[in-house]
Amino acid sequence: MCGIAGIYSHKPVAAELYDSIIHLQHRGQDAAGIMTYDDRMHKEKGMGLAKEVFNKTNMELLTGNIGISHNRYPTHGGFSHGEVQPFWTSVPYGIALAHNGNLTNYQELAEEITNKDSRYLNTNSDSEVLLHYFADLLHTNNPPEDSEEFFYLLCSAVTKIFKHVKGAYSVVSLVIGKGLVVFRDPQGIRPLVKGERSNGNGGKDYIFASENTMFYALGYEPKGTVLPGELIYVDEAGNVFNKRLVKKSFNPCIFEYVYFARPDATLNDVSVYRSRLRMGQNLSEAWKKKYPKKTPDIVIPAPSTANTAALSFAHELGVRYSEGLYKNTFIGRTFIMPGQDERKKSVKYKLVPQELEIRDKKVLILDDSIVRGNTSREIVRMLKDFGAKEVYFAVACPPVKSPCFYGVDMPTKEELIAGNMNENEIENYLDVDALLYQKIDDLVEAVTRKGDHHIDTPCMACLDGNYIANDIDDDKIAQMEAMRVNDRNGK
Ligand code: SF4
């Protein structure tokens, strides 16, 4: 997962791009970067949190009213400084690009770019491949003079990308002398929202971002979602050109609603917070049916993504919601940290049980999802150590059985607990007195029940094994998993 933003403004954009990274920090804590342009391209990027990468001195060098930013959470490529986005190339024009997603035909594209197009790739990043592919398609002997002609060229280039580049990609890009370019893959797997703001002179400023979490702070009005298969171009004068180049089914990632997105975000015209409340409602109905005699004394969320679903779950069940696990927010989310050892170590530093809330009670833990199962097992053990009479476990997401190849850094199938155990086995492994997973239909219903959205079927490949872009078979799984393991090992 990553966070991206692109801004066209009537005033310098660097500070607003920095704020965008801060408001998207939950989507990637590994690295951050900003590129802007005026008569030249300006870039600053580095490893770590935004506040560690940027300072007054380097921010002052990021001049210009058009720019893009990126929060990195690696799903492909290594962990070095060279992999940090945005990437840029000087031919043609000077183009910079930041991308959220994962290209599933990365290797084929990389070979084509290096062998056929004689371009040099400096990293293993699929975003660098996408940049060069895009740049090559914009390279012509008769560069367009005006914005309309350039938009036609963009339409032709991005249509070819949509045809040949497989997987998930939401993209913000800047082209020197031309403006800001934004596009989203034909199935809209990764999110991309848009907003507008009056510039006080009768014109408008525009923002495009993975989530609308920074819109209020920066004064932008939400204007819905960039559609799947849509290209948007804002030229230097602020004229906006847009076209939906390809129409396929709209299959946005369901895991954004379960775990990744900030609860105050609205993605694909669906409120993340409301969808989580509905997940809790649906799960409590299922709990009452399956376990009519197992009513907990309290419901404790595994903090903090599960808080919202736990709130409505407890409300529907008529039992007390308790923050019986305190989370130290200064320690990063375990799912995001690379490396099993770090993950194992961090759980008990991250979560502190409150004994008064737990001792002699029947405790139901509600978690957003179970990925490897280690964290869940440790939580159960903690509760028992602190005197819980019985421990139940409810999960807002169905079993995660298959790896994601569309931009979420999930473990390999072998490491996914539900990829290898059935629900009874998981119940025994966690050592709980009852376990309930959300059903897939109930999760889809929770996400799509309300909102003026156009979602056909959300992507749920990690839950049902149906890789929605029709680009993954067993060989591809083996190839992608091997690349992922190599990336983790720094090869
Ligand atoms: Fe999201 Fe899962 Fe689809 Fe990946 S496979 S895009 S995590 S729903």
Side-chain angles (χ1 to χ4, degrees):
M1 291 295 298
C2 297
I4 56 172
I7 299 179
Y8 169 94
S9 180
H10 66 292
K11 57 183 183 181
V13 284
E16 295 196 347
L17 287 166
Y18 175 79
D19 288 341
S20 301
I21 292 177
I22 294 286
H23 281 277
L24 294 173
Q25 192 76 82
H26 57 287
R27 297 184 70 88
Q29 300 160 20
D30 190 55
I34 293 176
M35 289 192 79
T36 60
Y37 89 84
D38 35 32
D39 51 341
R40 287 185 184 278
M41 195 98 81
H42 309 286
K43 73 169 186 328
E44 189 59 48
K45 47 189 188 173
M47 308 290 284
L49 299 172
K51 64 181 183 191
E52 294 157 356
V53 175
F54 300 102
N55 53 51
K56 193 168 178 293
T57 310
N58 61 28
M59 287 291 292
E60 278 172 0
L61 302 175
L62 295 168
T63 51
N65 294 4
I66 302 178
I68 58 177
S69 67
H70 189 265
N71 297 69
R72 178 172 163 79
Y73 167 26
T75 52
H76 185 85
F79 296 105
S80 70
H81 186 280
E83 318 281 328
V84 182
Q85 298 190 47
F87 284 102
W88 73 285
T89 178
S90 52
V91 180
Y93 308 105
I95 303 175
L97 178 145
H99 150 237
N100 172 207
N102 201 21
L103 310 188
T104 53
N105 60 340
Y106 160 80
Q107 281 196 322
E108 296 86 330
L109 293 169
E111 273 164 34
E112 186 178 329
I113 282 160
T114 45
N115 298 340
K116 199 172 121 234
D117 303 332
S118 303
R119 279 181 176 262
Y120 169 67
L121 293 175
N122 198 40
T123 70
N124 290 327
S125 166
D126 56 352
S127 311
E128 191 188 15
V129 164
L130 187 55
L131 166 70
H132 285 294
Y133 201 76
F134 182 46
D136 236 39
L137 291 166
L138 291 183
H139 205 171
T140 119
N141 291 331
N142 300 307
E145 292 286 321
D146 65 27
S147 297
E148 212 157 312
E149 277 180 45
F150 185 64
F151 182 59
Y152 286 132
L153 178 62
L154 280 173
C155 286
S156 150
V158 177
T159 301
K160 283 182 190 143
I161 287 176
F162 287 160
K163 199 164 165 204
H164 295 293
V165 177
K166 297 196 168 35
Y169 42 97
S170 285
V171 173
V172 288
S173 172
L174 48 86
V175 183
I176 294 240
K178 299 295 180 191
L180 182 67
V181 179
V182 173
F183 56 92
R184 187 175 181 191
D185 74 71
Q187 288 168 282
I189 297 174
R190 299 260 62 86
L192 195 57
V193 296
K194 56 185 182 179
E196 285 178 16
R197 173 179 72 185
S198 163
N199 69 11
N201 293 320
K204 281 179 180 164
D205 297 337
Y206 300 95
I207 187 167
F208 305 89
S210 299
E211 298 178 18
N212 58 347
T213 41
M214 75 295 288
F215 284 16
Y216 178 70
L218 301 182
Y220 285 93
E221 285 284 320
K223 291 289 171 189
T225 201
V226 176
L227 293 172
E230 187 177 22
L231 162 72
I232 302 176
Y233 165 47
V234 187
D235 74 7
E236 290 192 321
N239 300 305
V240 180
F241 302 79
N242 74 305
K243 190 167 183 185
R244 193 169 176 191
L245 299 170
V246 177
K247 270 196 187 164
K248 284 191 173 178
S249 60
F250 187 11
N251 312 117
C253 169
I254 207 158
F255 216 66
E256 291 276 355
Y257 296 94
V258 169
Y259 176 76
F260 272 108
R262 224 168 73 172
D264 55 318
T266 296
L267 302 181
N268 312 303
D269 301 304
V270 173
S271 154
V272 173
Y273 183 75
R274 290 294 179 94
S275 75
R276 287 183 186 163
L277 286 176
R278 296 192 288 264
M279 285 174 210
Q281 281 176 350
N282 290 353
L283 193 58
S284 76
E285 287 306 314
W287 184 273
K288 284 189 249 178
K289 273 191 204 131
K290 185 167 180 192
Y291 298 116
K293 299 215 167 103
K294 291 196 175 185
T295 305
D297 297 318
I298 52 167
V299 171
I300 298 179
S304 52
T305 325
N307 291 7
T308 316
L311 193 64
S312 58
F313 183 97
H315 180 78
E316 296 292 321
L317 222 55
V319 302
R320 190 159 68 82
Y321 169 91
S322 160
E323 290 170 10
L325 288 171
Y326 172 73
K327 181 180 183 181
N328 182 348
T329 49
F330 294 101
I331 296 175
R333 301 202 293 184
T334 55
F335 189 65
I336 265 180
M337 294 164 63
Q340 182 81 353
D341 290 345
E342 285 177 57
R343 185 172 299 102
K344 270 190 171 166
K345 243 196 303 176
S346 71
V347 175
K348 76 176 180 191
Y349 293 107
K350 195 179 73 162
L351 297 179
V352 181
Q354 302 207 56
E355 186 168 355
L356 276 176
E357 289 295 290
I358 294 164
R359 184 158 295 283
D360 298 327
K361 294 196 177 73
K362 290 184 278 176
V363 178
L364 185 142
I365 288 288
L366 196 145
D367 207 347
D368 52 78
S369 56
I370 300 179
V371 179
R372 289 178 172 83
N374 306 336
T375 307
S376 312
R377 194 158 117 129
E378 283 195 52
I379 287 174
V380 173
R381 202 174 294 148
M382 274 177 181
L383 295 174
K384 292 193 169 170
D385 287 349
F386 278 71
K389 205 158 61 181
E390 289 183 29
V391 179
Y392 310 144
F393 212 106
V395 197
C397 183
V400 178
K401 295 180 176 171
S402 303
C404 173
F405 300 117
Y406 299 141
V408 175
D409 183 27
M410 280 201 185
T412 59
K413 190 170 175 82
E414 207 175 293
E415 297 165 298
L416 290 168
I417 189 167
N420 300 286
M421 291 186 195
N422 63 33
E423 291 185 29
N424 287 338
E425 289 167 333
I426 295 172
E427 189 174 290
N428 288 335
Y429 174 81
L430 298 182
D431 196 19
V432 287
D433 300 287
L435 169 71
L436 180 70
Y437 275 103
Q438 185 96 263
K439 296 273 171 271
I440 286 186
D441 287 352
D442 286 344
L443 176 62
V444 174
E445 197 278 336
V447 172
T448 58
R449 187 191 308 171
K450 293 233 173 114
D452 186 18
H453 64 80
H454 305 281
I455 298 171
D456 292 307
T457 315
C459 174
M460 298 176 284
C462 51
L463 312 179
D464 64 8
N466 173 24
Y467 289 95
I468 207 98
N470 256 337
D471 50 352
I472 305 285
D473 56 18
D474 288 348
D475 289 347
K476 187 58 99 178
I477 290 178
Q479 182 196 72
M480 304 273 297
E481 288 202 335
M483 281 198 313
R484 193 163 282 179
V485 171
N486 282 343
D487 288 343
R488 276 195 211 148
N489 295 336
K491 288 183 190 160

